[in-house]
Amino acid sequence: MNDAIAPIDTQLIKRVAYQVLSHFDKSYRWFTRITRGAQERFERGNWKETQLASKERITIYEQSLSDAVAEIYHLTEVRQKDDLFWQELKKTFAVQLEGHPQFELAETFYNSVIGRLFKHRRIENDMMFVLPSRCYLPGQDRHKVIHSFDTTTTVREMYESIFKIYRYNIPFENFERDLQNLEAALRARLNKEQLASVQAVEILKPTFFRGKAAYLIGRICMPDETLPFVIAMRRYNEPHMFVDALLTDRKDLSVIFGFARSYFMADTQNPAEVAAFLQELLPNKKHFELYMALGHYKHGKTVFYRNFLQHMDASDDKFEAAPGIRGLVMMVFHLPSYGVVFKIIKDEFAESKKITREHVKECYKLVKMSDRVGRMADTHEYVNFRFPLDRIEPELIEELKDTCASSLEFTESELIIKHMYIERKMTPLNLFLQEETDEEKITRALDELGLCIKQIAMANIFPGDMLHKNFGITRHGRVIFYDYDEICLMNERNFRALPKSDDPYAIDTLSVAPNDVFPEQFEHFIVGKRKFKDILKELHGDLMTPEYWHEVQRKCERGDVQHFTPYNPNMRFERVALPASGNETSNYSMLTFA
């Protein structure tokens, strides 16, 4: 006699699905509460609270996930449930998501729950949302996320109507000056024919807050083209704010949404529609990058994985070791046709690296929780990531076995990497300098290198290993740091003057403590060639003095929060003093769009 199939407990399935969604909703309310508080923190100039809020928002997901998993273990014997139970649970959860404004984020949360329950070993679409449950059509909720402004009036009146809607509980330093700057800037970017053809100006409803800046992000719609329309606002510690720039170049907007910057605080209940709008403005950005920029980094990982699977289906090249000098801590490889690198912690480190595997993980976590100030690449942690064996070069497989065997698991057709990081691909700076012949580009890159080190330090991070091979250069020419295994907080190092000796490399090792750093030695190892050393020293010679680092330490100890303008500084308005009565009339005010 055949064994009877146990009946599905539909009531239990509904309860579990309901609990997962309830924990997601609670998590999103928590996320929203912190995000919504960004405006008040900006208005009050509470920069330390701004940094703490950013860290808290990152931790929300893991805490909510742990609560949801604990609830499921309370409701049922997880290990006793067969595949049919989990398949039905997914279907029930998908039904509950009908009409949910954050359905795509809820699907990712569900995936995380299943991943935690099965230790990320059951990445199958019948059990979790490897593929989305529905196709989202951008634009269907567009009215919920944008304001449209009348362009049949004057440019001046259009700006005035914008600031009647976007209001802040802090006075402008000089509102009249700001309006004149905005008006003049728009007329400088668009000729009369373009102005006359403007059909609409659309701006996303949420203000995008980050650090000491706030952005209104929208677009100018014309019959033949659409341009970004971004009003960048700033405030210092004074009790006022000001308009810093009008940005209409996609390059500037792309840098603002760069992968080396902290996540925005932008309050919306329709993140899919906001991300879709941004994708139209930034077609070269990957969709997962935009979700991450909005603070939904976990969903960004989901979208990345889906994008990765699509790219694998559409390509046939093979994974190989990444170009550049091999690292002492990380094994790095890539797919030449794809824009990321994959980083695995090696099993053993060189003798010079007095660190542990857990220390490396903590360093990467520190960067995740810090203000990356546009100079430290965002990294994303994955476990049990699967690669098809027939797409991996044999030489890479052998090198991985030699260096990272404990992180590898092989099946008949796949390589499973138990733990790794994914990071945006850049050209290693040492390779750039080695191959570049344009002296101006070389000088600019070395200037960027010095600025990168300084800005990281001002964010309270000492980079540690500052060899130029640990920095990359983007297509926009920005230098970004991406090797974190020796980073620490600024107060964890003692910057000392080098003891005098005829030998510049000689140090009395008996008088050197483990945390001692000698900035005068930096010039000998940051870059190799004498020509490069001389350029770096001329541009940023203060980096090679302990006094510079002492001053940075003092600022970090005081809790000073720095702001580094993410767009071309030439786009910034001059803060010329103008009468602030509001009664003055711009010379342009009677020229209309039409």
Side-chain angles (χ1 to χ4, degrees):
M1 192 170 90
N2 294 331
D3 292 336
I5 298 175
I8 294 293
D9 188 341
T10 56
Q11 291 304 312
L12 175 61
I13 286 174
K14 288 180 179 179
R15 286 179 63 196
V16 172
Y18 174 79
Q19 286 300 326
V20 174
L21 186 56
S22 294
H23 281 285
F24 166 75
D25 287 338
K26 179 181 177 182
S27 174
Y28 198 78
R29 286 195 299 271
W30 189 2
F31 182 97
T32 298
R33 185 166 62 251
I34 295 173
T35 303
R36 194 166 288 161
Q39 178 162 332
E40 182 178 356
R41 292 188 291 271
F42 175 81
E43 292 166 346
R44 294 178 177 271
N46 290 337
W47 310 128
K48 292 182 182 179
E49 288 185 20
T50 295
Q51 291 184 331
L52 291 173
S54 180
K55 293 178 182 179
E56 182 185 1
R57 200 175 66 164
I58 290 172
T59 65
I60 287 171
Y61 194 93
E62 287 298 327
Q63 185 169 334
S64 298
L65 174 60
S66 296
D67 292 344
V69 170
E71 182 76 21
I72 292 175
Y73 274 110
H74 177 73
L75 288 172
T76 185
E77 294 290 339
V78 171
R79 301 302 169 207
Q80 295 180 11
K81 299 303 177 185
D82 58 16
D83 285 0
L84 185 59
F85 176 89
W86 302 107
Q87 292 163 7
E88 289 300 316
L89 179 63
K90 178 195 170 185
K91 293 176 184 177
T92 302
F93 189 79
V95 170
Q96 289 187 350
L97 290 183
E98 290 293 334
H100 197 291
Q102 301 97 35
F103 78 92
E104 79 283 20
L105 304 186
E107 287 180 355
T108 286
F109 189 81
Y110 180 90
N111 288 350
S112 296
V113 170
I114 299 299
R116 181 73 63 86
L117 291 173
F118 289 92
K119 302 186 185 302
H120 299 277
R121 291 189 172 275
R122 300 296 301 273
I123 304 176
E124 303 159 14
N125 196 54
D126 59 350
M127 290 187 62
M128 59 197 302
F129 299 95
V130 177
L131 301 176
S133 63
R134 70 202 70 179
C135 179
Y136 183 77
L137 299 176
Q140 63 189 31
D141 290 320
R142 188 59 50 89
H143 64 286
K144 296 180 180 179
V145 302
I146 67 163
H147 290 300
S148 237
F149 294 91
D150 185 7
T151 58
T152 63
T153 181
T154 66
V155 174
R156 165 73 176 228
E157 289 171 335
M158 186 269 293
Y159 278 121
E160 289 176 339
S161 65
I162 288 173
F163 286 105
K164 284 179 182 176
I165 290 179
Y166 297 92
R167 304 178 68 88
Y168 308 96
N169 191 29
I170 177 176
F172 279 88
E173 180 183 61
N174 191 315
F175 189 54
E176 173 62 27
R177 177 201 64 200
D178 291 345
L179 289 178
Q180 290 190 27
N181 283 338
L182 285 167
E183 186 175 1
L186 184 59
R187 294 187 179 281
R189 315 282 167 78
L190 303 181
N191 59 39
K192 291 182 179 179
E193 290 73 22
Q194 288 175 310
L195 275 174
S197 71
V198 173
Q199 298 169 325
V201 171
E202 299 175 338
I203 301 178
L204 286 167
K205 289 183 178 180
T207 301
F208 285 64
F209 293 96
R210 184 170 60 202
K212 296 182 178 180
Y215 302 89
L216 303 182
I217 295 178
R219 62 186 180 186
I220 303 169
C221 303
M222 295 175 282
D224 299 326
E225 63 178 329
T226 299
L227 295 177
F229 179 80
V230 179
I231 299 175
M233 298 171 289
R234 284 280 314 283
R235 64 155 301 175
Y236 290 117
N237 295 322
E238 300 90 339
H240 55 247
M241 62 186 287
F242 59 93
V243 176
D244 193 49
L246 176 69
L247 307 174
T248 56
D249 191 320
R250 280 188 172 81
K251 180 179 178 180
D252 285 321
L253 187 58
S254 179
V255 173
I256 288 174
F257 279 87
F259 62 93
R261 300 193 180 279
S262 300
Y263 306 137
F264 280 107
M265 297 271 180
D267 179 26
T268 181
Q269 294 300 301
N270 300 91
E273 197 64 63
V274 171
F277 184 91
L278 292 170
Q279 184 78 81
E280 293 169 19
L281 285 178
L282 295 167
N284 292 327
K285 285 282 184 188
K286 297 291 187 183
H287 207 53
F288 65 83
E289 293 179 291
L290 297 173
Y291 269 107
M292 289 173 178
L294 293 171
H296 303 300
Y297 69 96
K298 287 288 187 178
H299 184 63
K301 288 173 60 177
T302 297
V303 180
F304 163 80
Y305 187 68
R306 292 167 180 168
N307 181 269
F308 172 77
L309 294 178
Q310 291 173 349
H311 185 85
M312 292 294 289
D313 288 341
S315 63
D316 59 6
D317 54 336
K318 294 190 175 184
F319 292 94
E320 60 185 32
I325 300 172
R326 296 291 192 271
L328 301 178
V329 172
M330 290 285 194
M331 177 61 202
V332 185
F333 65 97
H334 75 140
L335 188 68
S337 64
Y338 202 51
V340 303
V341 293
F342 304 87
K343 304 173 70 170
I344 312 173
I345 302 174
K346 292 183 175 181
D347 291 340
E348 297 180 357
F349 307 147
E351 183 65 26
S352 60
K353 294 286 186 178
K354 308 294 185 183
I355 54 177
T356 65
R357 183 183 188 88
E358 288 307 312
H359 172 84
V360 175
K361 289 183 177 181
E362 286 301 313
C363 286
Y364 275 75
K365 183 179 179 181
L366 174 60
V367 172
K368 190 77 173 177
M369 303 295 285
S370 299
D371 184 354
R372 298 190 302 280
V373 297
R375 295 297 186 177
M376 291 181 280
D378 197 10
T379 57
H380 306 288
E381 195 173 10
Y382 286 83
V383 296
N384 293 328
F385 200 99
R386 297 169 180 266
F387 298 88
L389 278 174
D390 62 0
R391 293 290 298 274
I392 308 175
E393 292 287 1
E395 295 84 358
L396 175 59
I397 291 177
E398 291 307 310
E399 190 169 358
L400 290 172
K401 287 179 177 178
D402 289 342
T403 58
C404 313
S406 68
S407 295
L408 311 179
E409 181 179 327
F410 290 90
T411 69
E412 186 175 331
S413 60
E414 290 182 318
L415 165 62
I416 302 172
I417 298 182
K418 300 174 186 177
H419 179 270
M420 71 175 189
Y421 297 96
I422 291 176
E423 196 173 88
R424 178 75 171 272
K425 186 187 296 183
M426 291 173 277
T427 301
L429 184 59
N430 61 309
L431 296 186
F432 175 86
L433 293 173
Q434 179 181 314
E435 299 168 0
E436 184 57 61
T437 58
D438 187 320
E439 295 295 327
E440 184 178 341
K441 290 182 179 179
I442 289 172
T443 299
R444 190 182 307 126
L446 290 168
D447 185 31
E448 274 283 306
L449 173 60
L451 289 172
C452 180
I453 294 170
K454 287 179 174 179
Q455 292 175 6
I456 291 171
M458 292 300 291
N460 199 24
I461 297 289
F462 178 60
D465 190 351
M466 291 185 287
L467 291 172
H468 62 330
K469 72 180 182 68
N470 296 327
F471 296 79
I473 189 164
T474 71
R475 59 191 177 91
H476 294 305
R478 287 184 62 82
V479 170
I480 308 293
F481 185 54
Y482 54 57
D483 194 313
Y484 305 143
D485 57 80
E486 289 193 16
I487 69 166
C488 64
L489 298 177
M490 284 295 298
N491 64 3
E492 296 178 40
R493 290 292 178 265
N494 179 30
F495 296 94
R496 293 179 52 190
L498 192 65
K500 301 301 179 184
S501 169
D502 293 335
D503 181 355
Y505 299 97
I507 300 176
D508 179 2
T509 55
L510 294 178
S511 65
V512 177
N515 292 337
D516 284 349
V517 176
F518 299 91
E520 291 163 87
Q521 289 195 310
F522 290 171
E523 67 172 291
H524 299 301
F525 63 79
I526 293 180
V527 289
K529 291 184 178 180
R530 168 55 59 186
K531 179 178 73 171
F532 298 158
K533 291 179 182 179
D534 291 342
I535 294 173
L536 182 62
K537 197 168 183 179
E538 181 181 352
L539 293 170
H540 298 285
D542 49 351
L543 283 174
M544 289 74 168
T545 67
E547 291 78 14
Y548 171 81
W549 294 93
H550 293 159
E551 178 59 26
V552 174
Q553 283 181 316
R554 283 191 288 271
K555 290 181 178 179
C556 292
E557 187 176 354
R558 289 197 303 265
D560 294 356
V561 176
Q562 305 301 312
H563 176 85
F564 302 106
T565 302
Y567 41 86
N568 185 344
N570 294 329
M571 305 306 295
R572 299 187 65 186
F573 297 143
E574 291 186 22
R575 293 169 67 189
V576 178
L578 291 175
S581 67
N583 296 322
E584 297 76 13
T585 302
S586 164
N587 293 331
Y588 299 108
S589 62
M590 296 310 294
L591 298 177
T592 65
F593 281 94

